[in-house]
Amino acid sequence: MADLSALYQEVILDHNRRPRNFAVLEDADHQSEGFNALCGDRVTVYLKLKGSVVDEISFQGSGCAISMASASIMTESLKGRTVEEVKALFERFHQLVTGNLDSEDHSEPDLGKLVVFEGVSRYPVRVKCATLTWHTLRAALEKRNEVVSTE
Ligand code: ZN
């Protein structure tokens, strides 16, 4: 569906132009930095959990439209989710952008707006751009932030 992919592209470009949750989260309890050497994308993901629920999430970085839009839409999609849901969404997102998503599988959580990245599966070199922010988020979840004072 050409119209749909044009719409998806418009959403991606909009998030690239006006990234949501683009900020340092001063009191983050998890954070991690990611770098995609293939394209030069850099992203830092900040996270604050309340119990096992994502209470606040933000990011900073620079890179191509796909990487920035992916980070922006990811942060929008994850607020209020449990860590388990976040991991399940990453799995489905990864399947989506690598072209391995089973379209008959309607298990929760739904990808929601993340479907705009389905076109990435036709450009294998772009998969790392789309997944960088998710890998960085996973790294942030796996370790607590050692508090580093600003210089
Ligand atoms: Zn990129």
Side-chain angles (χ1 to χ4, degrees):
M1 277 178 74
D3 289 351
L4 198 57
S5 53
L7 173 70
Y8 286 175
Q9 192 172 359
E10 191 47 48
V11 172
I12 289 170
L13 293 176
D14 176 61
H15 274 266
N16 177 51
R17 275 194 303 266
R18 299 186 299 119
R20 321 301 198 267
N21 306 304
F22 190 85
V24 174
L25 192 59
E26 295 294 350
D27 55 349
D29 45 28
H30 295 70
Q31 79 179 62
S32 194
E33 251 176 84
F35 177 54
N36 172 20
L38 219 59
C39 179
D41 311 313
R42 280 179 195 282
V43 66
T44 305
V45 174
Y46 303 90
L47 190 63
K48 197 174 163 188
L49 296 181
K50 191 180 270 179
S52 65
V53 173
V54 176
D55 191 36
E56 289 184 66
I57 179 168
S58 70
F59 80 103
Q60 291 250 282
S62 61
C64 69
I66 297 283
S67 67
M68 291 299 104
S70 178
S72 175
I73 295 174
M74 180 188 79
T75 57
E76 263 198 336
S77 304
L78 298 186
K79 213 171 277 189
R81 300 259 188 206
T82 66
V83 170
E84 286 311 306
E85 286 174 330
V86 168
K87 288 178 179 165
L89 267 177
F90 182 23
E91 182 133 330
R92 304 201 79 201
F93 181 75
H94 197 269
Q95 290 169 353
L96 175 80
V97 297
T98 53
N100 293 311
L101 188 66
D102 179 0
S103 56
E104 299 299 305
D105 178 5
H106 298 296
S107 59
E108 295 293 316
D110 190 81
L111 279 166
K113 206 188 227 181
L114 294 165
V115 297
V116 300
F117 293 99
E118 69 168 14
V120 169
S121 65
R122 292 191 293 276
Y123 306 93
V125 72
R126 289 291 176 191
V127 171
K128 283 191 174 177
C129 300
T131 57
L132 172 68
T133 190
W134 288 86
H135 285 293
T136 307
L137 171 73
R138 191 168 61 185
L141 279 170
E142 281 167 4
K143 59 171 188 194
R144 282 196 75 82
N145 178 26
E146 310 297 338
V147 179
V148 180
S149 57
T150 49
E151 54 271 60

